[in-house]
Amino acid sequence: METINIAILGCGTVGGGVAQIITEINNVLSMRAKTKIVLTKIVELFPVQASERFNIPLGLFCGGGKDLSGKEANEYIQEIISSEEIDILVETIGGKSDFVYNLCIDILNSGKHLVTANKALLAERGKTIFETAEAKNVKIGFEAAVCGAIPVIKTIQEGFTGDKVLSVSGIMNGTSNYILTQMQNEKQEFADALKLAQECGYAEADPQLDINGGDAGHKLILLIKLAYGVDVSKDDLSISGIENITKEDIDFASEIDAKIKLICYAKKVNGDIYATVRPMLVKKGNFLAAVEGATNAVRINNKYSGVHFLVGKGAGSTETAMSIVSDIVFIARYGDKIQNVPAKQERNFADARQFVFPYLITFQTGNIPGTTGFITTAIGKQEINIETVSHNRHAGEKAMFSIATMPCTLGQIEKAIEEIRSEKPGMLLSEPKIMPILY
Ligand code: HSE
């Protein structure tokens, strides 16, 4: 039996999980790969801690188990990259720094396969990384970068090779879904729910990325690349997070039989791609409304095979590590026969403000006669059909105004708001929240 040698760079939550799985079920993995899979080396600054946490023999760590300085760790990494014996390198250091970027480029240039969970790096600096892999005919496994344990990348790349993806959407950030669920079910404050999510290990090192939509945006960028062969940057996407969602918004959503969820949405319409990440009101009859806590759910709508849902754990140690191990077995089995990303296609990336959805607009109004008439007229002038209007939750001289629209664009709504703001500022006492409604 041939042998495939693996080295892991970074043995934290995910890297440690990879070492644990390879150690625990090595025989099974080797049988599945039809190649002996050998974990040869691990580079980690604090090996004793990692060895105890993941039950990995200390002898596997470079340096024989003693703590390493950054310089020593880097020397071991360079040694591994130059080694003829290593076939696959697992990068689980994380982040999009020059150090990690250059490391990945060096790995690929050395002719080794790279497996990583690093969505920030691949989404923001991936172009050259994928080009280098193509030039060197090596594989980048990145199943773990999008929705942890859910095999969404292989599903699109392998399972749906015979189809065309019309739209891909869903809940792709566990931390924000956990926060929204805690606020809704346990009536928890935003900050307390975030703290709990961090304690559970769901949040990124920088949790701002979870709550401002950045992490979900990275995942959507990678899915757009797979589904449509298009390179997009974060600036092309219209991204907003959950940081301004209040308990009042959540209570109001409940009153209209909906839940607020941070939704990633990409769709191809007449050849143009529309994509956005933003809080949306998901009506209770929609499957995504029932997806709670840190669970992720991806909805893929295909031309020939219709709608599919993939649901599962989007974060966690062995959960994310499992996807990395699956990539290792896949590479061991098929080697350079695997396509990294589809051929690049030229597509227009459309302004997400032209995306058509039914929307809910909410804001506070003052106690001024004629408010309902003026606001609904301003909206009607933009050719927006109104589904329902309510003016309720009165508190002193203020009340909440809410309008559910028929399908229209954000651009139309913004024009109507602009008119209200400039003509009747007293009718607009808070920044409007404009959320698409998913039925
Ligand atoms: N911070 C991410 C999340 C972890 O909450 O979904 C996996 O990407």
Side-chain angles (χ1 to χ4, degrees), residues 221-280:
I221 287 172
L222 292 174
L223 291 185
I224 290 171
K225 194 172 176 74
L226 289 174
Y228 303 121
V230 179
D231 280 327
V232 280
S233 80
K234 253 177 143 179
D235 298 334
D236 294 321
L237 295 184
S238 159
I239 299 182
S240 51
I242 62 163
E243 57 271 67
N244 296 324
I245 302 295
T246 61
K247 278 201 228 163
E248 197 185 24
D249 297 324
I250 287 178
D251 289 346
F252 184 71
S254 291
E255 281 172 27
I256 60 163
D257 269 342
K259 289 189 184 171
I260 299 177
K261 301 281 181 193
L262 182 70
I263 300 288
C264 295
Y265 205 108
K267 187 174 184 171
K268 194 161 86 179
V269 184
N270 299 329
D272 289 349
I273 315 277
Y274 291 82
T276 187
V277 177
R278 58 188 300 137
M280 297 195 186

Short mmCIF file of all heavy atoms in Angstrom, two decimals, residues 221-280:
data_model
loop_
_atom_site.label_atom_id
_atom_site.label_comp_id
_atom_site.label_asym_id
_atom_site.label_seq_id
_atom_site.Cartn_x
_atom_site.Cartn_y
_atom_site.Cartn_z
N ILE A 221 -18.78 34.17 -0.57
CA ILE A 221 -17.82 34.42 -1.67
C ILE A 221 -17.31 33.09 -2.23
O ILE A 221 -17.23 32.88 -3.44
CB ILE A 221 -16.64 35.30 -1.17
CG1 ILE A 221 -17.11 36.75 -0.97
CG2 ILE A 221 -15.46 35.24 -2.13
CD1 ILE A 221 -16.10 37.65 -0.29
N LEU A 222 -16.99 32.16 -1.32
CA LEU A 222 -16.46 30.87 -1.78
C LEU A 222 -17.54 30.05 -2.49
O LEU A 222 -17.28 29.41 -3.51
CB LEU A 222 -15.88 30.09 -0.59
CG LEU A 222 -14.61 30.73 0.01
CD1 LEU A 222 -14.17 30.00 1.28
CD2 LEU A 222 -13.46 30.74 -1.00
N LEU A 223 -18.77 30.12 -2.00
CA LEU A 223 -19.85 29.37 -2.67
C LEU A 223 -20.16 29.96 -4.05
O LEU A 223 -20.45 29.23 -4.99
CB LEU A 223 -21.11 29.34 -1.80
CG LEU A 223 -20.99 28.49 -0.52
CD1 LEU A 223 -22.33 28.43 0.20
CD2 LEU A 223 -20.50 27.08 -0.81
N ILE A 224 -20.08 31.29 -4.17
CA ILE A 224 -20.32 31.93 -5.47
C ILE A 224 -19.25 31.48 -6.46
O ILE A 224 -19.53 31.20 -7.63
CB ILE A 224 -20.34 33.47 -5.32
CG1 ILE A 224 -21.60 33.91 -4.57
CG2 ILE A 224 -20.27 34.16 -6.69
CD1 ILE A 224 -21.62 35.38 -4.19
N LYS A 225 -18.03 31.39 -5.98
CA LYS A 225 -16.92 30.95 -6.84
C LYS A 225 -17.19 29.52 -7.34
O LYS A 225 -16.99 29.21 -8.52
CB LYS A 225 -15.62 31.00 -6.04
CG LYS A 225 -14.36 30.89 -6.87
CD LYS A 225 -13.15 31.16 -5.98
CE LYS A 225 -11.85 30.97 -6.73
NZ LYS A 225 -11.56 32.04 -7.65
N LEU A 226 -17.68 28.67 -6.45
CA LEU A 226 -17.94 27.28 -6.83
C LEU A 226 -19.16 27.15 -7.74
O LEU A 226 -19.15 26.41 -8.71
CB LEU A 226 -18.20 26.43 -5.58
CG LEU A 226 -16.99 26.16 -4.70
CD1 LEU A 226 -17.44 25.44 -3.45
CD2 LEU A 226 -15.98 25.31 -5.46
N ALA A 227 -20.21 27.87 -7.37
CA ALA A 227 -21.47 27.70 -8.11
C ALA A 227 -21.43 28.38 -9.46
O ALA A 227 -22.02 27.89 -10.42
CB ALA A 227 -22.64 28.24 -7.28
N TYR A 228 -20.75 29.53 -9.54
CA TYR A 228 -20.84 30.33 -10.77
C TYR A 228 -19.48 30.63 -11.43
O TYR A 228 -19.45 31.30 -12.46
CB TYR A 228 -21.55 31.66 -10.46
CG TYR A 228 -22.93 31.46 -9.86
CD1 TYR A 228 -23.24 31.98 -8.61
CD2 TYR A 228 -23.91 30.75 -10.54
CE1 TYR A 228 -24.50 31.79 -8.04
CE2 TYR A 228 -25.17 30.55 -9.99
CZ TYR A 228 -25.46 31.07 -8.75
OH TYR A 228 -26.69 30.87 -8.20
N GLY A 229 -18.39 30.17 -10.82
CA GLY A 229 -17.07 30.41 -11.42
C GLY A 229 -16.69 31.88 -11.43
O GLY A 229 -15.93 32.33 -12.28
N VAL A 230 -17.24 32.65 -10.49
CA VAL A 230 -17.01 34.09 -10.48
C VAL A 230 -16.19 34.50 -9.26
O VAL A 230 -16.46 34.04 -8.15
CB VAL A 230 -18.36 34.85 -10.43
CG1 VAL A 230 -18.15 36.34 -10.39
CG2 VAL A 230 -19.20 34.46 -11.62
N ASP A 231 -15.21 35.36 -9.48
CA ASP A 231 -14.45 35.92 -8.36
C ASP A 231 -15.15 37.17 -7.88
O ASP A 231 -15.34 38.11 -8.65
CB ASP A 231 -13.03 36.32 -8.82
CG ASP A 231 -12.13 35.12 -8.89
OD1 ASP A 231 -12.30 34.20 -8.07
OD2 ASP A 231 -11.25 35.10 -9.78
N VAL A 232 -15.52 37.20 -6.63
CA VAL A 232 -16.10 38.44 -6.09
C VAL A 232 -15.30 38.84 -4.86
O VAL A 232 -14.69 38.01 -4.20
CB VAL A 232 -17.58 38.29 -5.65
CG1 VAL A 232 -18.49 38.36 -6.81
CG2 VAL A 232 -17.81 37.04 -4.85
N SER A 233 -15.35 40.13 -4.57
CA SER A 233 -14.68 40.59 -3.37
C SER A 233 -15.76 40.99 -2.37
O SER A 233 -16.93 41.13 -2.72
CB SER A 233 -13.78 41.78 -3.69
OG SER A 233 -14.58 42.93 -3.77
N LYS A 234 -15.34 41.21 -1.13
CA LYS A 234 -16.29 41.61 -0.10
C LYS A 234 -17.01 42.90 -0.48
O LYS A 234 -18.17 43.11 -0.16
CB LYS A 234 -15.54 41.82 1.21
CG LYS A 234 -15.80 40.73 2.22
CD LYS A 234 -14.98 40.98 3.45
CE LYS A 234 -15.75 40.58 4.67
NZ LYS A 234 -15.02 40.77 5.91
N ASP A 235 -16.27 43.77 -1.21
CA ASP A 235 -16.87 45.05 -1.59
C ASP A 235 -17.99 44.88 -2.61
O ASP A 235 -18.86 45.74 -2.74
CB ASP A 235 -15.81 46.00 -2.18
CG ASP A 235 -14.74 46.30 -1.15
OD1 ASP A 235 -15.06 46.23 0.05
OD2 ASP A 235 -13.60 46.59 -1.55
N ASP A 236 -17.95 43.77 -3.37
CA ASP A 236 -19.01 43.55 -4.35
C ASP A 236 -20.31 43.11 -3.68
O ASP A 236 -21.39 43.23 -4.26
CB ASP A 236 -18.64 42.41 -5.32
CG ASP A 236 -17.45 42.77 -6.19
OD1 ASP A 236 -17.39 43.93 -6.61
OD2 ASP A 236 -16.61 41.90 -6.43
N LEU A 237 -20.18 42.53 -2.49
CA LEU A 237 -21.37 42.01 -1.81
C LEU A 237 -21.98 43.12 -0.98
O LEU A 237 -21.28 43.99 -0.48
CB LEU A 237 -21.00 40.88 -0.85
CG LEU A 237 -20.45 39.59 -1.42
CD1 LEU A 237 -20.25 38.59 -0.30
CD2 LEU A 237 -21.39 39.02 -2.43
N SER A 238 -23.28 43.06 -0.83
CA SER A 238 -23.92 43.99 0.08
C SER A 238 -24.05 43.24 1.42
O SER A 238 -24.82 42.30 1.53
CB SER A 238 -25.28 44.35 -0.52
OG SER A 238 -26.12 44.82 0.45
N ILE A 239 -23.22 43.63 2.39
CA ILE A 239 -23.16 42.86 3.65
C ILE A 239 -23.60 43.73 4.81
O ILE A 239 -23.08 44.82 5.02
CB ILE A 239 -21.72 42.37 3.94
CG1 ILE A 239 -21.23 41.46 2.83
CG2 ILE A 239 -21.65 41.65 5.28
CD1 ILE A 239 -19.84 40.88 3.04
N SER A 240 -24.58 43.27 5.58
CA SER A 240 -24.80 43.91 6.87
C SER A 240 -25.07 42.82 7.90
O SER A 240 -25.56 41.73 7.55
CB SER A 240 -25.90 44.96 6.82
OG SER A 240 -27.04 44.43 6.25
N GLY A 241 -24.72 43.11 9.14
CA GLY A 241 -24.77 42.08 10.18
C GLY A 241 -25.95 42.26 11.11
O GLY A 241 -26.92 42.96 10.81
N ILE A 242 -25.82 41.63 12.29
CA ILE A 242 -26.95 41.63 13.22
C ILE A 242 -26.73 42.60 14.38
O ILE A 242 -27.49 42.60 15.34
CB ILE A 242 -27.21 40.21 13.80
CG1 ILE A 242 -25.98 39.71 14.60
CG2 ILE A 242 -27.57 39.24 12.70
CD1 ILE A 242 -26.31 38.54 15.53
N GLU A 243 -25.68 43.43 14.28
CA GLU A 243 -25.32 44.24 15.44
C GLU A 243 -26.40 45.23 15.88
O GLU A 243 -26.43 45.63 17.03
CB GLU A 243 -23.96 44.94 15.26
CG GLU A 243 -23.78 45.84 14.06
CD GLU A 243 -23.27 45.10 12.84
OE1 GLU A 243 -24.03 44.26 12.31
OE2 GLU A 243 -22.16 45.39 12.36
N ASN A 244 -27.29 45.62 14.93
CA ASN A 244 -28.33 46.58 15.32
C ASN A 244 -29.68 45.94 15.61
O ASN A 244 -30.68 46.62 15.79
CB ASN A 244 -28.52 47.63 14.21
CG ASN A 244 -27.25 48.43 14.02
OD1 ASN A 244 -26.57 48.72 15.01
ND2 ASN A 244 -26.91 48.74 12.79
N ILE A 245 -29.71 44.62 15.66
CA ILE A 245 -31.00 43.95 15.93
C ILE A 245 -31.29 44.01 17.44
O ILE A 245 -30.45 43.64 18.26
CB ILE A 245 -30.96 42.46 15.47
CG1 ILE A 245 -30.64 42.37 13.97
CG2 ILE A 245 -32.27 41.75 15.81
CD1 ILE A 245 -31.67 42.94 13.04
N THR A 246 -32.47 44.51 17.76
CA THR A 246 -32.82 44.66 19.17
C THR A 246 -33.89 43.62 19.55
O THR A 246 -34.50 42.99 18.67
CB THR A 246 -33.42 46.05 19.43
OG1 THR A 246 -34.61 46.16 18.61
CG2 THR A 246 -32.46 47.16 19.07
N LYS A 247 -34.10 43.51 20.87
CA LYS A 247 -35.15 42.59 21.33
C LYS A 247 -36.50 43.03 20.78
O LYS A 247 -37.37 42.21 20.49
CB LYS A 247 -35.18 42.62 22.85
CG LYS A 247 -34.11 41.71 23.45
CD LYS A 247 -34.50 41.39 24.80
CE LYS A 247 -33.82 41.42 25.96
NZ LYS A 247 -34.02 41.41 27.23
N GLU A 248 -36.65 44.34 20.65
CA GLU A 248 -37.91 44.86 20.12
C GLU A 248 -38.14 44.36 18.69
O GLU A 248 -39.26 43.97 18.33
CB GLU A 248 -37.86 46.39 20.15
CG GLU A 248 -39.22 47.00 20.01
CD GLU A 248 -39.17 48.51 19.92
OE1 GLU A 248 -38.13 49.07 19.52
OE2 GLU A 248 -40.20 49.13 20.22
N ASP A 249 -37.07 44.35 17.89
CA ASP A 249 -37.20 43.85 16.51
C ASP A 249 -37.63 42.38 16.52
O ASP A 249 -38.45 41.94 15.71
CB ASP A 249 -35.86 43.94 15.75
CG ASP A 249 -35.37 45.37 15.61
OD1 ASP A 249 -36.23 46.25 15.42
OD2 ASP A 249 -34.15 45.61 15.69
N ILE A 250 -37.02 41.63 17.44
CA ILE A 250 -37.31 40.19 17.49
C ILE A 250 -38.75 39.96 17.95
O ILE A 250 -39.46 39.12 17.38
CB ILE A 250 -36.28 39.50 18.41
CG1 ILE A 250 -34.95 39.46 17.65
CG2 ILE A 250 -36.73 38.11 18.83
CD1 ILE A 250 -33.80 38.87 18.36
N ASP A 251 -39.19 40.74 18.93
CA ASP A 251 -40.59 40.61 19.39
C ASP A 251 -41.55 40.97 18.27
O ASP A 251 -42.56 40.31 18.05
CB ASP A 251 -40.85 41.55 20.58
CG ASP A 251 -40.14 41.05 21.82
OD1 ASP A 251 -39.70 39.89 21.81
OD2 ASP A 251 -39.99 41.84 22.78
N PHE A 252 -41.19 42.02 17.53
CA PHE A 252 -42.06 42.44 16.45
C PHE A 252 -42.13 41.34 15.37
O PHE A 252 -43.21 41.03 14.85
CB PHE A 252 -41.57 43.76 15.85
CG PHE A 252 -42.50 44.27 14.80
CD1 PHE A 252 -43.75 44.78 15.15
CD2 PHE A 252 -42.17 44.21 13.46
CE1 PHE A 252 -44.63 45.21 14.18
CE2 PHE A 252 -43.04 44.65 12.49
CZ PHE A 252 -44.27 45.16 12.85
N ALA A 253 -40.97 40.73 15.09
CA ALA A 253 -40.95 39.64 14.10
C ALA A 253 -41.88 38.52 14.55
O ALA A 253 -42.66 37.97 13.75
CB ALA A 253 -39.53 39.11 13.93
N SER A 254 -41.85 38.21 15.85
CA SER A 254 -42.74 37.14 16.36
C SER A 254 -44.19 37.49 16.12
O SER A 254 -45.00 36.62 15.76
CB SER A 254 -42.54 36.95 17.86
OG SER A 254 -41.30 36.40 18.11
N GLU A 255 -44.52 38.76 16.34
CA GLU A 255 -45.92 39.17 16.17
C GLU A 255 -46.42 38.92 14.75
O GLU A 255 -47.59 38.70 14.53
CB GLU A 255 -46.08 40.67 16.49
CG GLU A 255 -46.13 40.95 17.98
CD GLU A 255 -46.08 42.45 18.27
OE1 GLU A 255 -46.52 43.24 17.41
OE2 GLU A 255 -45.59 42.80 19.34
N ILE A 256 -45.49 38.98 13.78
CA ILE A 256 -45.94 38.73 12.40
C ILE A 256 -45.53 37.33 11.93
O ILE A 256 -45.33 37.08 10.75
CB ILE A 256 -45.44 39.82 11.42
CG1 ILE A 256 -43.91 39.90 11.40
CG2 ILE A 256 -46.02 41.18 11.75
CD1 ILE A 256 -43.36 40.63 10.20
N ASP A 257 -45.34 36.43 12.92
CA ASP A 257 -45.04 35.02 12.62
C ASP A 257 -43.76 34.83 11.84
O ASP A 257 -43.70 34.06 10.85
CB ASP A 257 -46.19 34.40 11.81
CG ASP A 257 -47.20 33.78 12.72
OD1 ASP A 257 -46.84 33.53 13.89
OD2 ASP A 257 -48.34 33.55 12.27
N ALA A 258 -42.72 35.56 12.25
CA ALA A 258 -41.45 35.43 11.54
C ALA A 258 -40.32 35.40 12.56
O ALA A 258 -40.50 35.73 13.73
CB ALA A 258 -41.26 36.61 10.59
N LYS A 259 -39.14 34.98 12.09
CA LYS A 259 -37.93 35.04 12.92
C LYS A 259 -36.87 35.80 12.14
O LYS A 259 -36.80 35.67 10.91
CB LYS A 259 -37.45 33.64 13.23
CG LYS A 259 -38.35 32.91 14.19
CD LYS A 259 -37.71 31.62 14.63
CE LYS A 259 -38.65 30.85 15.52
NZ LYS A 259 -38.17 29.50 15.80
N ILE A 260 -36.05 36.54 12.88
CA ILE A 260 -34.96 37.25 12.20
C ILE A 260 -33.76 36.32 12.13
O ILE A 260 -33.36 35.73 13.12
CB ILE A 260 -34.60 38.54 12.95
CG1 ILE A 260 -35.81 39.48 12.99
CG2 ILE A 260 -33.40 39.23 12.31
CD1 ILE A 260 -35.60 40.76 13.76
N LYS A 261 -33.21 36.17 10.94
CA LYS A 261 -32.04 35.31 10.72
C LYS A 261 -31.04 36.07 9.85
O LYS A 261 -31.45 36.82 8.94
CB LYS A 261 -32.45 34.04 9.95
CG LYS A 261 -33.49 33.18 10.65
CD LYS A 261 -32.84 32.37 11.73
CE LYS A 261 -33.79 31.47 12.47
NZ LYS A 261 -33.20 30.92 13.71
N LEU A 262 -29.75 35.83 10.09
CA LEU A 262 -28.74 36.41 9.19
C LEU A 262 -28.64 35.46 7.99
O LEU A 262 -28.22 34.31 8.12
CB LEU A 262 -27.38 36.53 9.88
CG LEU A 262 -26.30 37.17 9.01
CD1 LEU A 262 -26.60 38.66 8.80
CD2 LEU A 262 -24.91 37.01 9.62
N ILE A 263 -29.05 35.96 6.83
CA ILE A 263 -29.16 35.10 5.64
C ILE A 263 -28.12 35.50 4.59
O ILE A 263 -27.95 36.67 4.27
CB ILE A 263 -30.58 35.21 5.03
CG1 ILE A 263 -31.66 34.77 6.04
CG2 ILE A 263 -30.69 34.43 3.72
CD1 ILE A 263 -31.74 33.30 6.33
N CYS A 264 -27.45 34.48 4.05
CA CYS A 264 -26.61 34.67 2.86
C CYS A 264 -27.47 34.31 1.67
O CYS A 264 -28.18 33.29 1.70
CB CYS A 264 -25.44 33.69 2.87
SG CYS A 264 -24.28 33.93 4.20
N TYR A 265 -27.39 35.09 0.61
CA TYR A 265 -28.27 34.83 -0.54
C TYR A 265 -27.53 35.17 -1.84
O TYR A 265 -27.07 36.30 -2.01
CB TYR A 265 -29.52 35.71 -0.42
CG TYR A 265 -30.73 35.18 -1.13
CD1 TYR A 265 -31.80 34.65 -0.42
CD2 TYR A 265 -30.82 35.20 -2.52
CE1 TYR A 265 -32.92 34.15 -1.07
CE2 TYR A 265 -31.94 34.70 -3.18
CZ TYR A 265 -32.99 34.19 -2.44
OH TYR A 265 -34.09 33.70 -3.08
N ALA A 266 -27.40 34.23 -2.73
CA ALA A 266 -26.81 34.52 -4.05
C ALA A 266 -27.69 33.86 -5.10
O ALA A 266 -28.14 32.73 -4.94
CB ALA A 266 -25.40 33.98 -4.14
N LYS A 267 -27.92 34.61 -6.16
CA LYS A 267 -28.87 34.12 -7.17
C LYS A 267 -28.40 34.60 -8.55
O LYS A 267 -27.85 35.69 -8.67
CB LYS A 267 -30.22 34.75 -6.84
CG LYS A 267 -31.37 34.28 -7.64
CD LYS A 267 -32.65 34.89 -7.09
CE LYS A 267 -33.84 34.35 -7.81
NZ LYS A 267 -35.08 34.74 -7.21
N LYS A 268 -28.65 33.76 -9.55
CA LYS A 268 -28.33 34.19 -10.92
C LYS A 268 -29.63 34.50 -11.63
O LYS A 268 -30.54 33.68 -11.66
CB LYS A 268 -27.59 33.07 -11.64
CG LYS A 268 -26.93 33.55 -12.91
CD LYS A 268 -25.85 32.60 -13.35
CE LYS A 268 -26.47 31.51 -14.18
NZ LYS A 268 -25.55 30.53 -14.69
N VAL A 269 -29.72 35.74 -12.14
CA VAL A 269 -30.93 36.14 -12.87
C VAL A 269 -30.49 36.66 -14.24
O VAL A 269 -29.74 37.64 -14.30
CB VAL A 269 -31.69 37.25 -12.12
CG1 VAL A 269 -33.00 37.59 -12.84
CG2 VAL A 269 -31.98 36.88 -10.68
N ASN A 270 -30.95 36.02 -15.30
CA ASN A 270 -30.57 36.40 -16.67
C ASN A 270 -29.05 36.56 -16.81
O ASN A 270 -28.57 37.52 -17.41
CB ASN A 270 -31.24 37.71 -17.08
CG ASN A 270 -32.74 37.58 -17.06
OD1 ASN A 270 -33.27 36.49 -17.31
ND2 ASN A 270 -33.42 38.67 -16.72
N GLY A 271 -28.31 35.68 -16.20
CA GLY A 271 -26.86 35.73 -16.34
C GLY A 271 -26.17 36.64 -15.34
O GLY A 271 -24.96 36.54 -15.15
N ASP A 272 -26.91 37.52 -14.67
CA ASP A 272 -26.29 38.39 -13.67
C ASP A 272 -26.33 37.73 -12.30
O ASP A 272 -27.31 37.04 -11.98
CB ASP A 272 -27.05 39.72 -13.54
CG ASP A 272 -26.86 40.60 -14.76
OD1 ASP A 272 -25.99 40.27 -15.59
OD2 ASP A 272 -27.59 41.61 -14.88
N ILE A 273 -25.32 37.98 -11.49
CA ILE A 273 -25.31 37.42 -10.13
C ILE A 273 -25.69 38.52 -9.14
O ILE A 273 -25.12 39.62 -9.18
CB ILE A 273 -23.90 36.92 -9.74
CG1 ILE A 273 -23.24 36.13 -10.84
CG2 ILE A 273 -23.94 36.18 -8.40
CD1 ILE A 273 -23.58 34.72 -10.96
N TYR A 274 -26.62 38.21 -8.28
CA TYR A 274 -26.99 39.10 -7.18
C TYR A 274 -26.58 38.40 -5.89
O TYR A 274 -26.85 37.20 -5.74
CB TYR A 274 -28.50 39.31 -7.12
CG TYR A 274 -29.05 40.11 -8.26
CD1 TYR A 274 -29.34 39.52 -9.47
CD2 TYR A 274 -29.31 41.47 -8.09
CE1 TYR A 274 -29.85 40.26 -10.52
CE2 TYR A 274 -29.83 42.21 -9.14
CZ TYR A 274 -30.10 41.60 -10.35
OH TYR A 274 -30.63 42.33 -11.37
N ALA A 275 -25.99 39.12 -4.98
CA ALA A 275 -25.64 38.46 -3.71
C ALA A 275 -25.69 39.44 -2.57
O ALA A 275 -25.36 40.62 -2.71
CB ALA A 275 -24.26 37.85 -3.81
N THR A 276 -26.11 38.93 -1.43
CA THR A 276 -26.18 39.79 -0.25
C THR A 276 -26.09 38.94 1.01
O THR A 276 -26.40 37.74 0.99
CB THR A 276 -27.51 40.61 -0.25
OG1 THR A 276 -27.49 41.55 0.81
CG2 THR A 276 -28.73 39.72 -0.08
N VAL A 277 -25.63 39.57 2.08
CA VAL A 277 -25.69 38.96 3.42
C VAL A 277 -26.37 39.99 4.29
O VAL A 277 -25.87 41.11 4.42
CB VAL A 277 -24.27 38.70 3.99
CG1 VAL A 277 -24.36 38.14 5.41
CG2 VAL A 277 -23.47 37.77 3.10
N ARG A 278 -27.51 39.65 4.87
CA ARG A 278 -28.19 40.62 5.72
C ARG A 278 -29.25 39.94 6.58
O ARG A 278 -29.69 38.84 6.25
CB ARG A 278 -28.80 41.75 4.89
CG ARG A 278 -29.80 41.33 3.84
CD ARG A 278 -30.19 42.49 2.97
NE ARG A 278 -30.80 43.55 3.73
CZ ARG A 278 -30.54 44.86 3.57
NH1 ARG A 278 -29.70 45.25 2.65
NH2 ARG A 278 -31.14 45.76 4.30
N PRO A 279 -29.65 40.60 7.67
CA PRO A 279 -30.73 40.01 8.45
C PRO A 279 -32.01 40.01 7.62
O PRO A 279 -32.30 40.99 6.93
CB PRO A 279 -30.88 40.97 9.65
CG PRO A 279 -29.64 41.78 9.66
CD PRO A 279 -29.15 41.86 8.24
N MET A 280 -32.70 38.90 7.65
CA MET A 280 -33.98 38.81 6.93
C MET A 280 -35.04 38.28 7.88
O MET A 280 -34.74 37.62 8.88
CB MET A 280 -33.86 37.85 5.73
CG MET A 280 -32.86 38.33 4.69
SD MET A 280 -33.04 37.46 3.12
CE MET A 280 -31.63 38.10 2.22
#
